[in-house]
Amino acid sequence: MRPTSLRSGLAVSAIALAVAASGLLAAAQDSAAAPQNDLMNATVWMETAVEYKATVQQLFKLAKTQLDAALEDPSWTAVPDKQGEGYEDLPLAIVSDLDETLLDNGNYEVSLVTRGTSYSSSEWADYVESKTSEAVPGAVEFAKYAESKGVKMFYVSNRKEPGKQATYENMEALGFPMGGNADTVLLRGGKEEWGSAKENRIAYVAENYRVVLLMGDNLGDFTDAAEGSLEERDAVLAETADRWGQDWIMFPNPEYGSWESATFGGEWSLSEDERRQKKIDAMEPWMPAE
Ligand SMILES: [Mg+2]
């Protein structure tokens, strides 16, 4: 019995070792194969975390509460500097950004992470044409609610004008209200004077509508002052403190935005390593005692 038992014991041990070794090998291969990409944690969060989903659902709930308040207040406007005389009598509108505010382009970001590459405008144009954006959780319901209250949704996005038809079809398929006879998709280059700064497009909407909410994931969705330094952006935040959560609603986007380029002065010509160093330098570390 004993030798047999010993043999079978050895055999079991050998199998266990082999299994453990193959597990280690697989882990080593996995770790070698896992692409390194600065986008990864932010993308995992936006793709998988219930904390992200809860955050944006909270924000749409807040937007609905504020919209209800606006409906009761004829003088309510999110853009007092852009409304003309008699604006109180205009029909109501909301101006919202699209990407990472109403539209979720997580599959594009995941593609960058898994391929170990970064954003390119030509590839982004192909992505827009793929019409595979999804809706941010709560976005369609909010937009439909606004429409049910007679509030027109205007989509002011820095997607480029050639992608307009695809964007329209993608959004319509997701169930967003698309404005009926009004042209509500206002993209970069849609008019000669429409660059990436958005204030003139917001003002364009405000000519004919009382704009009750602005929604975005980037300071530039609210003010053209977004392109300044970190200090200048902090000053803008302080100046506009009363708007946030009132009639300006900011959505989280840790994947990209003017917050990122502000850390390296918008110098995209720097190498990725140089930009990464400037991001690190933009933060103040705690240091342990010697
Ligand atoms: Mg956006």
Side-chain angles (χ1 to χ4, degrees), residues 97 99-101 217 221 256:
D97 170 59
D99 296 314
E100 276 56 64
T101 300
D217 66 303
D221 298 327
Y256 63 89

Side-chain angles (χ1 to χ4, degrees), residues 21-40:
S22 71
L24 282 172
L25 185 63
Q29 283 170 338
D30 280 354
S31 119
Q36 306 292 306
N37 191 302
D38 289 352
L39 261 179
M40 192 196 72

